Amino acid sequence: MSTGAHRGSPAGKAHQAEPWSTAITVTTDDRVFVRGVALDEAIGREAFPAMLLRLWRGDPATDDEAALLGACLVASIDHGPLSPSALVTRTIASTRAAPMSGLAGGILAFGELHGAVVSRAMRILATVPSEGGIDPWADEVFETERAAGRRLPGIGHRWHHSDLRAERLLELAAARSDGRHEAAVRALAARVRRHTGSPVPVNIDGALAVALTSLRLDPAYGDFLFAIARSFGLAAHYVEEQARERPMRTIDPTSARYDGASVPGFEALEEDE
Amino acid sequence: MSTGAHRGSPAGKAHQAEPWSTAITVTTDDRVFVRGVALDEAIGREAFPAMLLRLWRGDPATDDEAALLGACLVASIDHGPLSPSALVTRTIASTRAAPMSGLAGGILAFGELHGAVVSRAMRILATVPSEGGIDPWADEVFETERAAGRRLPGIGHRWHHSDLRAERLLELAAARSDGRHEAAVRALAARVRRHTGSPVPVNIDGALAVALTSLRLDPAYGDFLFAIARSFGLAAHYVEEQARERPMRTIDPTSARYDGASVPGFEALEEDE
Amino acid sequence: MSTGAHRGSPAGKAHQAEPWSTAITVTTDDRVFVRGVALDEAIGREAFPAMLLRLWRGDPATDDEAALLGACLVASIDHGPLSPSALVTRTIASTRAAPMSGLAGGILAFGELHGAVVSRAMRILATVPSEGGIDPWADEVFETERAAGRRLPGIGHRWHHSDLRAERLLELAAARSDGRHEAAVRALAARVRRHTGSPVPVNIDGALAVALTSLRLDPAYGDFLFAIARSFGLAAHYVEEQARERPMRTIDPTSARYDGASVPGFEALEEDE
Amino acid sequence: MSTGAHRGSPAGKAHQAEPWSTAITVTTDDRVFVRGVALDEAIGREAFPAMLLRLWRGDPATDDEAALLGACLVASIDHGPLSPSALVTRTIASTRAAPMSGLAGGILAFGELHGAVVSRAMRILATVPSEGGIDPWADEVFETERAAGRRLPGIGHRWHHSDLRAERLLELAAARSDGRHEAAVRALAARVRRHTGSPVPVNIDGALAVALTSLRLDPAYGDFLFAIARSFGLAAHYVEEQARERPMRTIDPTSARYDGASVPGFEALEEDE
């Protein structure tokens, strides 16, 4: 047998590929169209959250809808340097690995327990009956998740006893829906409270799930919304780490301090130390 | 020597860690403060691009500044399924690997030649003298990059002969600056044109660099802005791939078609086929 | 309230950390010890697969065990440029993004359907009863997976009708075990054959699961073994892509050809084209 | 204009793709061939490092060459839980994100200062003249790297005053080469010593660079060798983290302890605490 160029595919005949289509974006010589809208026309005319909703949902957004999606982005934008994703990004930043490595690494910290919860909450909320009692539904969801060994998404938080972000977002979402999904998530929180005996907040994941469901977004986008919004925060942690700290430093989360703009409620902690 | 619990660190005595600080975010029992602003108060009141500018720059944004940053996000949001990052995300989606894997993988496709260019362009723009002729500066930059074997960032494009997104963004940025950075990037384009003999556009990277520089953002944020905005597009490609295509399909970029909302300038291509 | 340095943690009081321990590796001033063995002493004296088994299992390996683990690595080392992971790595290589980005990106393509299957197969094999009939167990596994909508791991292949790698690995594993796990995986293949009506091979995932189970490795290491061994192949694809192809080229899997050393059985394909 | 299926590519006519070739791997119905060798025949007959050298270099390996490459893998396999990559992997493991996320995340921590150094060292070593004095070359390399603001790769270590792994690997490599590359890296260490006034070891990166250069491997494979070998260690840290620790725990590197097999030289540290 001779060496040299063989005409055959490295995988035998198996690699045919069917034609396929996308409905998201098309480009011409000088323009980019997303869901049929030229980006050059949207620049400076369409608010970013409106464009995002158009991209993800396919149809145009009302001003209220755009404002609600923008509020979801604001709510998710950061949670400090000690969340696992931020610590991963900072650790990668400390080795002076590339910015995209820091960003991707931080995103990879999102999992079932941190940051990849909203989609699951949206899928649960999607099962609430459009009529009739919500409490039986909440009981059934609680039992199902418990039997499966899964935490109920949208309820409770590692650090916060309540979460004003969640409350505020639920208010905003309520203004533009029939309130059923908000009632559903509060019923779940009440069911958990019966079980544990202490109050549990609807957390930011639960509030995001209600808001994004009211915006008629596919549940798959729940986790993407959270992760990409949070990525803006990860970027800030990457930049601050490289600006302030020496390379390859050991990051001890317990010795972290806040030295930014003063905020109410924080001085109390200071006095305790 | 006995086995069992040793009291020493697995790295000897080397792992002390100095105290460190962050100025970005602090959380209390029920609130999250980013650059001193409570997210619960910003939700529904502060536009997302304004919050982003505050997060990345540290000080509040004017409405014009927020609008310009929002326009940068819009401009970057997607570029179709055939950009390398979108193909990576779709390939990962086709194996039914997790959403965060698809997102992180697509981000990792951003490099010198695709999507990680804006920061470098901003750093070059930062060297333009505040007074005096720009053309000598443009000559020097051109020669420096050429001698180093590097492409001049911000100029030209693989597919587009001109780029209306870039033109529109430059207009918007010009409205709020002294125009010097725009003049600088146009001088670079002119210098490249003298070299190649044909027109080259200021591309979206160059326009983003001008806009983000006028917003006084650290150049490090240039690539982050592009990559994270584009991530919203990657998410759409992940979702569409899993919604439309069977798992493990072979993705042939040459057989991709657009079947979305009709756009001007596209039917002409259709007739040619 | 004053600005400036606050003494409080950015996360309130929540960040205490308990002491923790590792039993894997300890370093001193001039040496590294993995599972109690000095790497400098192992270098040149302990075969790599033996060291790997020691690292992952904690106790030393016999020569046969090391040889079997080495065979698992060989079996997994590559599967050509058209597997999704290799295509991802090549796409990232084409943008000239960094080697680590190419490697990590390719790894992220491993999911339920491609490359992250061995651990699940090992967990299923672990349930085979140590005595008594295997066929009832095979029936039950088949029904459980089917009811859950999951593919049975270890059986069948997208491209291969049979898989000599799998057969050879099963032979090797059989030489050092009581054959029960091999019998189990073959019973699963027979059960699938009854269902589909055509022969299905035990594939490389099934063979790896049998071999790694006989080596008493934790099932978690199944996917790691496959993915890291395959990473050596991904590296070759990254290097070849950058050596042979121009940057940012469009990768069409259907136009790939093999031009390496001639192999038996491949010329037949050539004649057919 | 009508909606519905357009026949045009989403990127206009720009996406033709040229045919391309690979020389690495080809598959047939039942076999996989890497560099012309059937994996089913190599399984159990060819040692893994020999197969790896064949994959990466294209031609078969002698027993000595395979042993040296195997020694490189052993030397790199782990460095404890406090290296940045291991901390990233553990942090991702703590959120219960997927194993591939933990692996890819840890790999992304490798950068200029940690784990992505060997290739650069190999490229520097490749410039040593085949004849004549090495010291002038060492002076020139030192000055060039210093002027460029780069650390000299292969010399020194964050933790170790000397590195017996490196010494042992250099011995092994010396046995099969003319010693010129080893002399080169020692000349660099001597030049650095003249500059700093204190002894600096040739570190593991320098020793790997010498060994892999003597194996005639493309410098691109230097970082891949290190990163993929180290990935086996990252996997162990992922598994141990999930086996021993509760989810979402705060990882404090300064409170880590070693509780594995006892080793010489470690009790001394214990007494000091």
Side-chain angles (χ1 to χ4, degrees):
Chain A
M1 300 152 201
S2 64
T3 55
H6 299 265
R7 301 279 311 147
S9 162
K13 287 210 168 69
H15 269 262
Q16 292 92 37
E18 296 107 34
W20 57 287
S21 303
T22 180
I24 302 170
T25 295
V26 60
T27 62
T28 65
D29 249 13
D30 59 355
R31 304 181 88 181
V32 180
F33 296 85
V34 173
R35 299 293 186 187
V37 171
L39 288 187
D40 56 276
E41 290 184 347
I43 285 169
R45 295 195 190 94
E46 186 150 315
F48 176 70
M51 192 71 215
L52 177 57
L53 205 44
R54 192 193 284 275
L55 166 74
W56 278 4
R57 199 175 63 185
D59 55 315
T62 68
D63 288 349
D64 278 353
E65 289 178 322
L68 181 57
L69 187 60
C72 291
L73 296 171
V74 168
S76 310
I77 202 174
D78 194 48
H79 202 268
L82 304 185
S83 73
S85 47
L87 284 169
V88 166
T89 291
R90 280 184 175 262
T91 304
I92 292 174
S94 80
T95 72
R96 299 305 183 261
M100 295 300 118
S101 294
L103 179 59
I107 284 168
L108 291 173
F110 294 133
E112 302 197 340
L113 300 181
H114 167 55
V117 181
V118 181
S119 292
R120 191 156 79 82
M122 289 174 75
R123 291 184 177 110
I124 288 175
L125 279 187
T127 66
V128 68
S130 42
E131 291 174 344
I134 287 179
D135 288 345
W137 168 86
D139 285 340
E140 194 181 330
V141 168
F142 179 84
E143 292 304 329
T144 303
E145 296 302 297
R146 200 158 78 116
R150 289 190 296 259
R151 285 193 48 144
L152 206 61
I155 315 290
H157 197 281
R158 194 162 58 124
W159 298 344
H160 296 290
H161 292 300
S162 64
D163 192 338
L164 291 183
R165 293 174 300 167
E167 290 301 319
R168 182 79 190 103
L169 202 54
L170 286 170
E171 277 177 40
L172 257 181
R176 57 172 318 284
S177 75
D178 64 2
R180 196 152 178 88
H181 292 111
E182 178 187 353
V185 80
R186 292 200 186 280
L188 290 172
R191 182 62 187 83
V192 172
R193 175 176 191 164
R194 267 174 37 214
H195 178 75
T196 65
S198 46
V200 280
V202 173
N203 63 34
I204 193 60
D205 301 312
L208 285 166
V210 170
L212 299 176
T213 299
S214 80
L215 289 171
R216 296 183 288 108
L217 280 170
D218 184 316
Y221 285 117
D223 292 347
F224 281 128
L225 183 287
F226 179 87
I228 302 171
R230 184 55 61 85
S231 292
F232 291 107
L234 296 181
H237 288 287
Y238 182 99
V239 172
E240 190 186 67
E241 175 69 28
Q242 293 199 343
R244 290 182 167 211
E245 308 294 340
R246 58 177 182 78
M248 299 293 286
R249 67 140 177 153
T250 299
I251 302 177
D252 173 8
T254 67
S255 70
R257 298 292 176 259
Y258 173 71
D259 68 359
S262 67
V263 303
F266 190 66
E267 287 72 17
L269 279 163
E270 207 186 352
E271 293 180 30
D272 285 352
E273 283 184 291
Chain B
M1 298 152 202
S2 64
T3 56
H6 300 266
R7 300 280 310 148
S9 162
K13 289 212 167 68
H15 269 262
Q16 291 92 36
E18 296 106 34
W20 56 288
S21 303
T22 180
I24 302 170
T25 296
V26 60
T27 63
T28 64
D29 249 13
D30 58 356
R31 304 182 88 180
V32 181
F33 297 86
V34 173
R35 300 292 185 188
V37 170
L39 288 186
D40 58 277
E41 290 183 348
I43 286 169
R45 295 196 189 92
E46 186 150 315
F48 175 69
M51 192 69 216
L52 176 57
L53 206 43
R54 191 192 285 275
L55 167 73
W56 279 3
R57 200 174 64 184
D59 54 315
T62 67
D63 289 349
D64 279 352
E65 290 178 323
L68 181 57
L69 187 60
C72 291
L73 296 170
V74 168
S76 311
I77 203 175
D78 194 47
H79 203 268
L82 304 183
S83 73
S85 47
L87 284 169
V88 165
T89 291
R90 281 184 174 262
T91 304
I92 293 174
S94 80
T95 73
R96 300 305 184 261
M100 295 299 119
S101 293
L103 180 60
I107 284 168
L108 292 172
F110 295 133
E112 303 199 337
L113 301 181
H114 167 55
V117 181
V118 181
S119 292
R120 191 157 79 83
M122 288 174 76
R123 290 184 177 109
I124 287 175
L125 280 185
T127 67
V128 68
S130 44
E131 291 173 345
I134 286 179
D135 287 346
W137 168 85
D139 285 339
E140 194 182 330
V141 168
F142 179 84
E143 293 304 330
T144 302
E145 296 302 297
R146 199 156 78 118
R150 289 190 296 259
R151 287 192 47 146
L152 207 61
I155 314 291
H157 196 281
R158 193 162 58 123
W159 298 342
H160 297 289
H161 293 302
S162 65
D163 192 340
L164 292 182
R165 293 176 298 168
E167 289 301 319
R168 181 79 189 102
L169 202 54
L170 287 170
E171 276 177 40
L172 257 180
R176 55 172 319 284
S177 75
D178 64 2
R180 196 152 178 88
H181 291 112
E182 179 188 354
V185 80
R186 293 199 186 280
L188 290 172
R191 183 62 188 83
V192 172
R193 175 176 191 165
R194 268 174 36 215
H195 179 75
T196 65
S198 45
V200 281
V202 173
N203 64 33
I204 193 60
D205 301 313
L208 286 166
V210 170
L212 299 176
T213 299
S214 79
L215 289 171
R216 298 183 288 107
L217 280 170
D218 184 314
Y221 285 117
D223 292 346
F224 281 128
L225 181 288
F226 179 87
I228 303 171
R230 183 55 61 86
S231 292
F232 291 107
L234 297 181
H237 289 288
Y238 182 100
V239 172
E240 189 185 68
E241 176 68 28
Q242 292 199 342
R244 290 183 165 209
E245 309 294 339
R246 57 177 183 75
M248 297 295 285
R249 68 138 176 155
T250 298
I251 301 178
D252 173 8
T254 68
S255 70
R257 298 291 176 257
Y258 173 71
D259 68 359
S262 68
V263 302
F266 190 66
E267 285 70 18
L269 280 162
E270 205 185 353
E271 291 183 30
D272 284 350
E273 285 186 289
Chain C
M1 301 151 202
S2 64
T3 55
H6 299 265
R7 300 278 313 144
S9 163
K13 288 212 170 67
H15 270 260
Q16 291 92 36
E18 296 106 33
W20 57 287
S21 304
T22 180
I24 301 170
T25 296
V26 60
T27 63
T28 64
D29 249 13
D30 59 355
R31 303 182 90 180
V32 181
F33 296 85
V34 173
R35 301 292 187 189
V37 170
L39 289 186
D40 57 276
E41 290 184 348
I43 286 168
R45 295 196 188 93
E46 186 151 315
F48 175 70
M51 192 71 216
L52 176 57
L53 204 45
R54 192 192 284 275
L55 167 74
W56 279 3
R57 199 175 63 184
D59 54 314
T62 67
D63 289 349
D64 278 351
E65 289 178 323
L68 181 57
L69 187 60
C72 291
L73 296 171
V74 168
S76 311
I77 203 174
D78 194 47
H79 202 268
L82 304 185
S83 72
S85 48
L87 284 168
V88 166
T89 292
R90 279 184 175 264
T91 305
I92 294 174
S94 79
T95 73
R96 301 306 184 261
M100 295 300 117
S101 293
L103 180 59
I107 284 169
L108 291 173
F110 294 134
E112 302 198 340
L113 301 179
H114 166 56
V117 181
V118 181
S119 292
R120 191 156 79 82
M122 288 174 77
R123 290 185 177 109
I124 288 174
L125 280 186
T127 67
V128 68
S130 42
E131 290 173 348
I134 286 178
D135 287 345
W137 168 86
D139 285 339
E140 193 182 330
V141 168
F142 179 82
E143 293 303 331
T144 302
E145 296 302 298
R146 199 157 79 116
R150 288 190 298 257
R151 285 192 50 144
L152 206 61
I155 314 292
H157 196 281
R158 194 162 57 123
W159 299 340
H160 297 288
H161 292 300
S162 65
D163 191 341
L164 292 182
R165 294 175 299 167
E167 289 301 319
R168 183 78 189 103
L169 201 54
L170 287 170
E171 277 176 40
L172 257 181
R176 54 172 319 285
S177 75
D178 64 3
R180 194 151 178 89
H181 291 113
E182 178 188 353
V185 78
R186 292 200 186 279
L188 289 174
R191 182 62 187 82
V192 172
R193 176 177 189 163
R194 268 174 36 214
H195 178 75
T196 65
S198 45
V200 280
V202 173
N203 64 34
I204 192 59
D205 300 313
L208 286 166
V210 170
L212 299 176
T213 299
S214 80
L215 289 171
R216 297 182 288 108
L217 279 170
D218 184 314
Y221 285 118
D223 292 347
F224 282 128
L225 181 287
F226 179 87
I228 303 170
R230 185 54 63 84
S231 292
F232 291 106
L234 296 181
H237 288 287
Y238 182 100
V239 171
E240 189 186 67
E241 176 69 27
Q242 293 199 342
R244 290 183 165 208
E245 308 293 340
R246 59 176 181 77
M248 298 294 285
R249 67 139 177 153
T250 299
I251 301 177
D252 173 8
T254 67
S255 70
R257 297 290 176 260
Y258 173 71
D259 68 1
S262 68
V263 302
F266 190 66
E267 286 71 16
L269 279 164
E270 206 184 352
E271 292 181 30
D272 284 352
E273 284 185 290
Chain D
M1 300 154 202
S2 65
T3 55
H6 300 265
R7 300 280 311 147
S9 162
K13 288 210 168 68
H15 269 263
Q16 293 92 35
E18 295 106 35
W20 57 287
S21 303
T22 180
I24 301 171
T25 295
V26 58
T27 63
T28 64
D29 249 12
D30 58 356
R31 303 182 89 180
V32 181
F33 296 85
V34 173
R35 300 293 186 189
V37 170
L39 289 187
D40 57 276
E41 290 184 347
I43 286 169
R45 296 195 189 90
E46 186 150 316
F48 176 70
M51 192 69 214
L52 176 58
L53 204 44
R54 191 192 284 276
L55 166 74
W56 278 4
R57 199 174 64 184
D59 55 316
T62 67
D63 289 348
D64 278 352
E65 289 177 323
L68 181 57
L69 188 60
C72 291
L73 296 171
V74 167
S76 311
I77 202 174
D78 194 48
H79 203 268
L82 304 185
S83 74
S85 48
L87 284 168
V88 166
T89 291
R90 280 184 175 263
T91 304
I92 293 174
S94 79
T95 72
R96 300 305 184 261
M100 296 299 119
S101 293
L103 180 59
I107 284 168
L108 292 172
F110 295 133
E112 302 198 340
L113 301 181
H114 167 56
V117 180
V118 181
S119 292
R120 191 157 80 82
M122 288 175 77
R123 291 185 176 109
I124 287 175
L125 280 186
T127 67
V128 68
S130 43
E131 292 173 345
I134 287 178
D135 288 346
W137 167 87
D139 285 340
E140 194 182 329
V141 168
F142 179 84
E143 292 304 330
T144 302
E145 297 301 298
R146 201 158 77 117
R150 289 191 297 259
R151 285 194 48 144
L152 206 61
I155 314 292
H157 196 281
R158 193 163 57 125
W159 297 343
H160 296 288
H161 292 301
S162 65
D163 191 338
L164 292 182
R165 295 175 299 168
E167 289 300 319
R168 183 79 189 101
L169 201 55
L170 287 169
E171 276 177 41
L172 257 180
R176 56 172 319 283
S177 75
D178 64 2
R180 194 149 179 90
H181 291 112
E182 178 189 353
V185 79
R186 293 200 186 279
L188 290 173
R191 183 62 188 82
V192 172
R193 175 177 190 164
R194 268 173 37 213
H195 178 76
T196 65
S198 45
V200 280
V202 173
N203 63 34
I204 193 59
D205 301 313
L208 285 166
V210 170
L212 299 175
T213 300
S214 80
L215 289 170
R216 297 183 287 108
L217 279 170
D218 185 313
Y221 285 116
D223 292 347
F224 281 128
L225 182 288
F226 179 87
I228 303 170
R230 183 56 61 85
S231 292
F232 291 107
L234 296 180
H237 288 287
Y238 182 100
V239 172
E240 189 186 67
E241 176 69 28
Q242 292 199 343
R244 290 183 165 209
E245 308 293 339
R246 58 176 182 77
M248 298 294 285
R249 68 140 177 152
T250 298
I251 302 177
D252 173 7
T254 68
S255 69
R257 297 290 175 259
Y258 173 71
D259 68 358
S262 67
V263 302
F266 190 65
E267 286 71 17
L269 279 163
E270 206 185 353
E271 292 182 30
D272 284 351
E273 285 186 288

PDB file of all heavy atoms in Angstrom, chain D residues 38-50:
ATOM      1  N   ALA D  38      -3.240   0.273  14.133  1.00  0.00           N
ATOM      2  CA  ALA D  38      -4.579  -0.062  14.620  1.00  0.00           C
ATOM      3  C   ALA D  38      -4.570  -0.058  16.145  1.00  0.00           C
ATOM      4  O   ALA D  38      -3.750  -0.740  16.764  1.00  0.00           O
ATOM      5  CB  ALA D  38      -5.002  -1.429  14.104  1.00  0.00           C
ATOM      6  N   LEU D  39      -5.472   0.698  16.743  1.00  0.00           N
ATOM      7  CA  LEU D  39      -5.508   0.751  18.208  1.00  0.00           C
ATOM      8  C   LEU D  39      -5.792  -0.623  18.796  1.00  0.00           C
ATOM      9  O   LEU D  39      -5.251  -0.972  19.844  1.00  0.00           O
ATOM     10  CB  LEU D  39      -6.560   1.769  18.688  1.00  0.00           C
ATOM     11  CG  LEU D  39      -6.224   3.238  18.470  1.00  0.00           C
ATOM     12  CD1 LEU D  39      -7.275   4.118  19.149  1.00  0.00           C
ATOM     13  CD2 LEU D  39      -4.835   3.591  18.963  1.00  0.00           C
ATOM     14  N   ASP D  40      -6.621  -1.418  18.110  1.00  0.00           N
ATOM     15  CA  ASP D  40      -6.906  -2.736  18.670  1.00  0.00           C
ATOM     16  C   ASP D  40      -5.641  -3.585  18.727  1.00  0.00           C
ATOM     17  O   ASP D  40      -5.497  -4.429  19.621  1.00  0.00           O
ATOM     18  CB  ASP D  40      -8.012  -3.440  17.881  1.00  0.00           C
ATOM     19  CG  ASP D  40      -7.673  -3.582  16.412  1.00  0.00           C
ATOM     20  OD1 ASP D  40      -7.911  -2.616  15.650  1.00  0.00           O
ATOM     21  OD2 ASP D  40      -7.163  -4.660  16.025  1.00  0.00           O
ATOM     22  N   GLU D  41      -4.707  -3.358  17.820  1.00  0.00           N
ATOM     23  CA  GLU D  41      -3.450  -4.110  17.869  1.00  0.00           C
ATOM     24  C   GLU D  41      -2.501  -3.512  18.911  1.00  0.00           C
ATOM     25  O   GLU D  41      -1.696  -4.213  19.499  1.00  0.00           O
ATOM     26  CB  GLU D  41      -2.783  -4.128  16.497  1.00  0.00           C
ATOM     27  CG  GLU D  41      -3.553  -4.992  15.510  1.00  0.00           C
ATOM     28  CD  GLU D  41      -2.874  -5.108  14.158  1.00  0.00           C
ATOM     29  OE1 GLU D  41      -1.931  -4.341  13.880  1.00  0.00           O
ATOM     30  OE2 GLU D  41      -3.323  -5.974  13.373  1.00  0.00           O
ATOM     31  N   ALA D  42      -2.578  -2.219  19.111  1.00  0.00           N
ATOM     32  CA  ALA D  42      -1.696  -1.575  20.084  1.00  0.00           C
ATOM     33  C   ALA D  42      -2.120  -1.873  21.516  1.00  0.00           C
ATOM     34  O   ALA D  42      -1.283  -1.916  22.423  1.00  0.00           O
ATOM     35  CB  ALA D  42      -1.695  -0.064  19.856  1.00  0.00           C
ATOM     36  N   ILE D  43      -3.434  -2.077  21.705  1.00  0.00           N
ATOM     37  CA  ILE D  43      -3.945  -2.340  23.056  1.00  0.00           C
ATOM     38  C   ILE D  43      -3.278  -3.581  23.628  1.00  0.00           C
ATOM     39  O   ILE D  43      -3.337  -4.659  23.057  1.00  0.00           O
ATOM     40  CB  ILE D  43      -5.482  -2.520  23.010  1.00  0.00           C
ATOM     41  CG1 ILE D  43      -6.148  -1.161  22.809  1.00  0.00           C
ATOM     42  CG2 ILE D  43      -5.996  -3.203  24.273  1.00  0.00           C
ATOM     43  CD1 ILE D  43      -7.627  -1.238  22.497  1.00  0.00           C
ATOM     44  N   GLY D  44      -2.629  -3.395  24.759  1.00  0.00           N
ATOM     45  CA  GLY D  44      -1.966  -4.520  25.416  1.00  0.00           C
ATOM     46  C   GLY D  44      -0.605  -4.848  24.841  1.00  0.00           C
ATOM     47  O   GLY D  44       0.110  -5.690  25.386  1.00  0.00           O
ATOM     48  N   ARG D  45      -0.232  -4.200  23.754  1.00  0.00           N
ATOM     49  CA  ARG D  45       1.081  -4.490  23.160  1.00  0.00           C
ATOM     50  C   ARG D  45       1.993  -3.277  23.151  1.00  0.00           C
ATOM     51  O   ARG D  45       3.211  -3.406  23.281  1.00  0.00           O
ATOM     52  CB  ARG D  45       0.916  -5.021  21.725  1.00  0.00           C
ATOM     53  CG  ARG D  45       0.186  -6.341  21.680  1.00  0.00           C
ATOM     54  CD  ARG D  45       0.354  -7.032  20.337  1.00  0.00           C
ATOM     55  NE  ARG D  45      -0.542  -8.193  20.277  1.00  0.00           N
ATOM     56  CZ  ARG D  45      -1.794  -8.152  19.823  1.00  0.00           C
ATOM     57  NH1 ARG D  45      -2.299  -7.036  19.349  1.00  0.00           N
ATOM     58  NH2 ARG D  45      -2.543  -9.254  19.835  1.00  0.00           N
ATOM     59  N   GLU D  46       1.430  -2.081  22.987  1.00  0.00           N
ATOM     60  CA  GLU D  46       2.267  -0.878  22.954  1.00  0.00           C
ATOM     61  C   GLU D  46       2.022  -0.082  24.227  1.00  0.00           C
ATOM     62  O   GLU D  46       0.878   0.185  24.596  1.00  0.00           O
ATOM     63  CB  GLU D  46       1.919  -0.042  21.707  1.00  0.00           C
ATOM     64  CG  GLU D  46       2.823   1.154  21.511  1.00  0.00           C
ATOM     65  CD  GLU D  46       3.008   1.529  20.044  1.00  0.00           C
ATOM     66  OE1 GLU D  46       3.209   0.622  19.203  1.00  0.00           O
ATOM     67  OE2 GLU D  46       2.949   2.731  19.733  1.00  0.00           O
ATOM     68  N   ALA D  47       3.102   0.265  24.890  1.00  0.00           N
ATOM     69  CA  ALA D  47       2.963   1.057  26.112  1.00  0.00           C
ATOM     70  C   ALA D  47       2.367   2.417  25.771  1.00  0.00           C
ATOM     71  O   ALA D  47       2.612   2.968  24.694  1.00  0.00           O
ATOM     72  CB  ALA D  47       4.332   1.229  26.770  1.00  0.00           C
ATOM     73  N   PHE D  48       1.599   2.944  26.694  1.00  0.00           N
ATOM     74  CA  PHE D  48       0.921   4.204  26.403  1.00  0.00           C
ATOM     75  C   PHE D  48       1.875   5.321  26.005  1.00  0.00           C
ATOM     76  O   PHE D  48       1.621   6.019  25.023  1.00  0.00           O
ATOM     77  CB  PHE D  48       0.025   4.640  27.573  1.00  0.00           C
ATOM     78  CG  PHE D  48      -0.596   5.987  27.333  1.00  0.00           C
ATOM     79  CD1 PHE D  48      -1.584   6.153  26.373  1.00  0.00           C
ATOM     80  CD2 PHE D  48      -0.151   7.105  28.016  1.00  0.00           C
ATOM     81  CE1 PHE D  48      -2.128   7.405  26.105  1.00  0.00           C
ATOM     82  CE2 PHE D  48      -0.691   8.361  27.770  1.00  0.00           C
ATOM     83  CZ  PHE D  48      -1.683   8.510  26.808  1.00  0.00           C
ATOM     84  N   PRO D  49       2.975   5.549  26.700  1.00  0.00           N
ATOM     85  CA  PRO D  49       3.866   6.630  26.264  1.00  0.00           C
ATOM     86  C   PRO D  49       4.425   6.414  24.861  1.00  0.00           C
ATOM     87  O   PRO D  49       4.678   7.382  24.142  1.00  0.00           O
ATOM     88  CB  PRO D  49       4.972   6.629  27.326  1.00  0.00           C
ATOM     89  CG  PRO D  49       4.333   6.023  28.538  1.00  0.00           C
ATOM     90  CD  PRO D  49       3.408   4.971  27.996  1.00  0.00           C
ATOM     91  N   ALA D  50       4.595   5.158  24.459  1.00  0.00           N
ATOM     92  CA  ALA D  50       5.054   4.899  23.089  1.00  0.00           C
ATOM     93  C   ALA D  50       3.982   5.316  22.086  1.00  0.00           C
ATOM     94  O   ALA D  50       4.272   5.935  21.056  1.00  0.00           O
ATOM     95  CB  ALA D  50       5.402   3.419  22.913  1.00  0.00           C
TER      96      ALA D  50
END
